[in-house]
Amino acid sequence: MDDVLTGLLKPKGIAVVGASATPGKIGHTVVKNLIESGYQGGIYPINPTVDEILGLKVYKSVLDIPDQVDAAAITVPAKFVLDVTKECGEKGIKGLIVITSGFSEVGDTQLEEDLVRLAHEYGMRVLGPNVVGTLSNSDKLNASFAPFLPLDGSASLVSQSGALLIAIDAITYTRRIGFDKLVSIGNMSDVNFADMVKWLNEDENTNCITLYIEGLKAGRRFIEESVKAKKPIVVLKAGVSEHGAAAAASHTGSLAGAQAVYGAAFRQAGAIQAKDLGDLFDCTLALSLQPPMKGENLLIITNGGGVGVLATDSAELAGVPLKFAPEDVQEELKQHMPSFGSAKNPVDLTGMAGNDWYHDSTKYAFAHDWVDGLVVLYCETAMTDPMEIAKSLHKAITETGIKDKPVTISFVGGERSDKAMQWLVENGIPAYNAPDLAVKAMGTLREYARLEDMKAETDPVNFDADTKTAREIIANVRSEGRTGLTEIESKKIFKAYGLPTVKTQLASSEEDAIKIAEEFGYPVVLKIVSPDILHKSDAGGVKVNLESDDDVREAYNTILKNAKNYKANADIHGVLVQEMAPWTTETIIGSVNDPTFGATVMFGLGGIFVEVLKDVTFRVAPISESEAAKMLDEIRGAPILDGTRGETRRDKAALAKVLARYAFMVTDLADEVFESDANPVLVYEEGEGVKVVDARIILKEQ
Ligand code: ACO
């Protein structure tokens, strides 16, 4: 475990620099919170003009403290923070909790950089600045200006929003969802989400890592640390509705919205993405109290037919569709319900279900090997007491002694049901007030298991490539002051990375074009090559299906004439001759250099699928072939590649290889390539391979 970060988050002693005797000031509140939370380490208020605060001796400087101090909560105005940091460093403090605002969030990045540099000179870490502070139930530590320690539990939350953290602190009591730690991460000048995931993964009091993220820093490290984590991670990402898709020069760039790229990164990280705040709580509740659902078989027990139908619908949406239970399970369950009940799935105990039926059926079902996850639904009835039902269910689950299989519960009713649910949560079983929420929670536990399996499958990526040629082409383009590569240049780079491009050659004259066409064999395609004409078809710069020398001659001259009409002063490199690949299933592969995650690849079906339906999927690069294969399967149009309506199956193995190679290429050239497209990439029948027809690379501005 990182000792320095441990010193910051679980300090043996803490100074409050800028402590105040005036109630209502942040420097006063932090001292008061430390006392009231029952913190057992030394609390050292620092203020040059006051002698005592809330009964504690006040020091003029941290340097006057006689004991060891691990952390300092800083509540002096921004202009004093550097002086205070220096003193903390000299004192040997490990970590600073910089509550003070007035840094990069208001544009003063210099002050923030100076703070981190100075802190690092002394080997200190910085939480913040611009944070609420940090809270920990297991350490009885409220080093913040949030009002109280949260309801105790085993999840830990890291929040980029201070205000939201304070709100969540209070909500833990009304929603009865417990947290061990709440950490406000603020401007993330130093300690970031990757650091926190790593540290919380090793924290014995945390078993679910809950994150509220506005924007990640060090996106790739976040993925790496999350992949290594052995605990569930659930993320609420704010700001997924719009992104810098504006003015993208490539197809891929225009499709790489914040959700597309973050969503891919979270999947790769093995993190579950919550839809909203309520969902964040629901997921946290399930993941912090229950193990993952390792198999596909979900059984639902209910006392209401309608609720059972609702739950069946929800199960499909939640990725855990119901199957009928095997005969032996049904036979046994029939012993625990009236004759007019149903032992299929959902198991309907009917409105007559009392404590015993709930207990016996739950106990039997939960213990049965076929059942991988159990959801129990209860609608409040006049004949039953919700608390009694809750206790029966808890008893049944406990009696099985099973700990590696999940159960979630829903109680639909009034105040008595709410109290019963609260009791269940306090006793380790996630309970929700709607059937769909209990089923969705089970879906989350299933997703967690799937994500864990996916993590285990990652294999190393290594391809041979002629990097030297690729970099020479790029250097040449740069020397001409360009960032857009021509199709010929882009294809040469693709080829250097082993991507199967259609035969393409630049012709400098009409005769040259005919010679190349004869070499390739008819039919061929002719296209204008000019860095000034990106949209070649719009300029009349493309002629397809040319069958003879005469066709080539005519096309050559027409293309040049059209190009000049389109843009009189265009820099024309010539006309390219291209083998005319037989048309088949069109796909698109592309890349963007995402500001947070770097090289990121996209895959989708081409033509109308990408233009209109935007049926594409992303991954932060590089990716293995098996990861690429998953991308092929996760687009909506995936069945087309498997062969639908009499079509034969496409060569998915070759396509996955090409996609992984492409990801390798854009990772290898990530310092240069801004966006790229291979569009279309033709995918032939199984065994017949893949061909990249058109290529586009756009370099980063320098
Ligand atoms: N060493 C020790 N104490 C000092 C020093 C020093 N070098 N210099 C000043 N002090 C004392 C002051 O004398 C004062 O104590 P007093 O009450 O006895 O006079 C105390 O430190 C605080 O200084 P003030 O000048 O009174 O500053 P104030 O308390 O008004 O504000 C604060 C300081 C809270 C850090 C403010 O600058 C700030 O940044 N506020 C925003 C904090 C915030 O919201 N952070 C979280 C963002 S997330 C969210 O929005 C929820």
Side-chain angles (χ1 to χ4, degrees):
M1 213 160 183
D2 180 336
D3 281 352
V4 179
L5 211 45
T6 302
L8 198 161
L9 297 164
K10 292 166 79 73
K12 297 244 162 58
I14 183 164
V16 181
V17 187
S20 172
T22 311
K25 288 182 85 165
I26 287 184
H28 182 84
T29 307
V30 175
V31 177
K32 183 165 161 278
N33 281 346
L34 281 165
I35 296 169
E36 286 179 357
S37 58
Y39 178 60
Q40 299 297 300
I43 305 169
Y44 306 95
I46 311 294
N47 185 309
T49 58
V50 183
D51 294 327
E52 191 187 294
I53 296 174
L54 296 165
L56 295 172
K57 176 177 165 48
V58 176
Y59 297 87
K60 298 213 177 318
S61 155
V62 285
L63 294 168
D64 300 335
I65 304 172
D67 312 311
Q68 191 204 322
V69 189
D70 282 344
I74 296 183
T75 63
V76 293
K79 61 182 180 216
F80 301 127
V81 167
L82 293 185
D83 290 341
V84 163
T85 299
K86 194 160 181 293
E87 287 186 1
C88 289
E90 281 164 12
K91 171 66 189 158
I93 282 171
K94 291 179 175 161
L96 305 179
I97 302 160
V98 185
I99 291 175
T100 311
S101 303
F103 292 82
S104 64
E105 82 283 4
V106 293
D108 200 342
T109 43
Q110 189 58 50
L111 184 60
E112 194 162 300
E113 281 168 22
D114 291 346
L115 162 66
V116 176
R117 195 178 19 79
L118 189 58
H120 285 184
E121 275 173 27
Y122 290 99
M124 293 189 291
R125 299 294 308 263
V126 177
L127 185 67
N130 190 31
V131 298
V132 168
T134 180
L135 302 92
S136 170
N137 266 310
S138 51
D139 300 294
K140 294 196 174 124
L141 172 81
N142 182 358
S144 82
F145 64 90
F148 32 66
L149 284 172
L151 180 73
D152 199 6
S154 51
S156 285
L157 169 86
V158 183
S159 173
Q160 207 169 343
S161 158
L164 195 69
L165 180 133
I166 296 175
I168 287 175
D169 189 17
I171 297 170
T172 62
Y173 289 90
T174 50
R175 282 290 318 261
R176 310 305 300 172
I177 297 175
F179 286 85
D180 184 56
K181 294 181 177 64
L182 303 181
V183 181
S184 167
I185 200 165
N187 295 2
M188 300 192 293
S189 67
D190 179 21
V191 175
N192 58 31
F193 280 104
D195 295 318
M196 286 309 304
V197 166
K198 182 167 189 252
W199 191 86
L200 288 171
N201 184 42
E202 291 171 24
D203 175 37
E204 59 182 12
N205 300 109
T206 299
N207 69 5
C208 171
I209 302 170
T210 303
L211 309 174
Y212 169 78
I213 297 176
E214 285 169 2
L216 280 174
K217 285 185 179 172
R220 276 168 184 265
R221 239 200 90 221
F222 171 79
I223 297 177
E224 280 162 28
E225 292 301 343
S226 302
V227 166
K228 280 188 236 158
K230 298 273 178 286
K231 298 174 183 178
I233 300 172
V234 55
V235 177
L236 177 60
K237 167 75 178 79
V240 291
S241 43
E242 49 76 44
H243 192 50
S250 72
H251 231 90
T252 309
S254 66
L255 292 163
Q259 174 51 30
V261 178
Y262 266 96
F266 290 145
R267 266 198 308 282
Q268 280 171 274
I272 287 161
Q273 192 176 357
K275 288 181 192 55
D276 51 37
L277 198 53
D279 194 29
L280 186 73
F281 278 111
D282 293 339
C283 292
T284 299
L285 185 63
L287 292 163
S288 65
L289 296 181
Q290 292 292 306
M293 181 181 166
K294 295 195 188 98
E296 299 286 344
N297 297 333
L298 167 65
L299 191 86
I300 297 180
I301 296 177
T302 174
N303 66 342
V307 172
V309 176
L310 284 177
T312 306
D313 293 346
S314 306
E316 208 156 300
L317 286 173
V320 278
L322 293 189
K323 295 176 237 170
F324 287 135
E327 282 301 321
D328 63 321
V329 179
Q330 294 194 29
E331 282 312 310
E332 174 70 25
L333 287 169
K334 278 182 190 156
Q335 311 302 312
H336 310 297
M337 64 177 67
S339 56
F340 45 87
S342 167
K344 292 190 168 126
N345 195 8
V347 176
D348 184 3
L349 304 178
T350 79
M352 281 177 64
N355 300 346
D356 292 345
W357 283 350
Y358 260 116
H359 171 274
D360 296 351
S361 57
T362 295
K363 185 172 172 183
Y364 171 75
F366 196 59
H368 199 284
D369 280 348
W370 182 81
V371 176
D372 297 311
L374 179 69
V375 173
V376 186
L377 310 173
Y378 162 77
C379 293
E380 201 170 316
T381 66
M383 298 90 73
T384 50
D385 173 2
M387 189 60 86
E388 291 301 318
I389 298 284
K391 289 189 171 159
S392 298
L393 293 175
H394 183 263
K395 186 164 171 275
I397 298 292
T398 314
E399 281 167 357
T400 64
I402 293 170
K403 296 224 170 354
D404 60 352
K405 195 190 275 196
V407 56
T408 63
I409 290 178
S410 159
F411 273 34
V412 185
E415 271 175 36
R416 293 191 311 155
S417 285
D418 285 351
K419 283 209 174 76
M421 277 192 294
Q422 191 171 317
W423 183 88
L424 280 167
V425 171
E426 279 158 13
N427 285 279
I429 301 181
Y432 301 86
N433 62 5
D436 55 308
L437 294 180
V439 172
K440 186 167 171 303
M442 190 55 71
T444 301
L445 293 163
R446 180 76 193 117
E447 193 188 346
Y448 174 47
R450 285 197 196 107
L451 288 168
E452 283 299 293
D453 288 347
M454 271 167 63
K455 275 188 192 177
E457 281 173 24
T458 44
D459 42 18
V461 186
N462 216 351
F463 293 106
D464 293 335
D466 181 3
T467 311
K468 194 166 158 275
T469 300
R471 292 211 174 257
E472 275 168 13
I473 296 166
I474 290 172
N476 185 51
V477 171
R478 291 246 186 242
S479 73
E480 290 177 14
R482 289 188 279 133
T483 51
L485 274 68
T486 62
E487 183 178 340
I488 289 264
E489 289 160 340
S490 303
K491 275 188 179 156
K492 279 187 184 155
I493 292 181
F494 280 19
K495 232 176 139 193
Y497 280 87
L499 297 170
T501 51
V502 291
K503 283 189 232 159
T504 307
Q505 205 172 319
L506 187 66
S508 48
S509 68
E510 206 179 302
E511 290 316 312
D512 197 19
I514 291 167
K515 200 169 134 252
I516 299 166
E518 282 173 349
E519 255 170 53
F520 286 177
Y522 286 105
V524 293
V525 178
L526 259 62
K527 290 182 192 170
I528 190 75
V529 182
S530 164
D532 298 321
I533 303 175
L534 279 181
H535 301 287
K536 296 176 281 247
S537 299
D538 296 354
V542 181
K543 296 284 168 202
V544 298
N545 218 3
L546 308 172
E547 302 269 9
S548 65
D549 293 5
D550 285 347
D551 282 357
V552 169
R553 191 168 284 123
E554 194 192 326
Y556 185 91
N557 291 313
T558 313
I559 283 176
L560 283 181
K561 200 170 83 213
N562 288 350
K564 281 191 185 116
N565 286 343
Y566 182 75
K567 209 170 195 182
N569 56 352
D571 173 17
I572 290 170
H573 289 195
V575 175
L576 68 77
V577 183
Q578 184 181 292
E579 139 194 30
M580 183 143 165
W583 217 247
T584 180
T585 309
E586 259 182 88
T587 62
I588 175 169
I589 297 175
S591 79
V592 290
N593 214 319
D594 182 80
T596 307
F597 298 101
T600 303
V601 277
M602 182 193 84
F603 167 75
L605 287 178
I608 189 165
F609 291 98
V610 64
E611 300 279 349
V612 182
L613 303 175
K614 301 189 183 350
D615 184 14
V616 292
T617 182
F618 285 82
R619 284 289 188 288
V620 175
I623 51 168
S624 63
E625 272 178 48
S626 56
E627 194 67 27
K630 275 184 215 141
M631 289 176 77
L632 309 189
D633 286 338
E634 71 194 23
I635 55 167
R636 276 170 285 149
I640 291 175
L641 296 171
D642 289 321
T644 43
R645 299 174 66 99
E647 287 280 342
T648 46
R649 202 178 133 87
R650 305 287 96 186
D651 199 339
K652 286 172 74 178
L655 184 57
K657 266 198 179 67
V658 165
L659 184 50
R661 265 189 182 276
Y662 197 96
F664 175 74
M665 172 183 77
V666 294
T667 311
D668 203 33
L669 299 175
D671 55 323
E672 293 281 10
V673 173
F674 179 60
E675 288 175 8
S676 71
D677 281 331
N679 180 28
V681 178
L682 299 177
V683 192
Y684 295 96
E685 280 180 22
E686 208 159 23
E688 300 291 319
V690 168
K691 271 190 178 165
V692 178
V693 176
D694 202 349
R696 176 178 299 181
I697 293 179
I698 295 136
L699 301 178
K700 286 178 174 178
E701 296 288 346
Q702 277 186 331

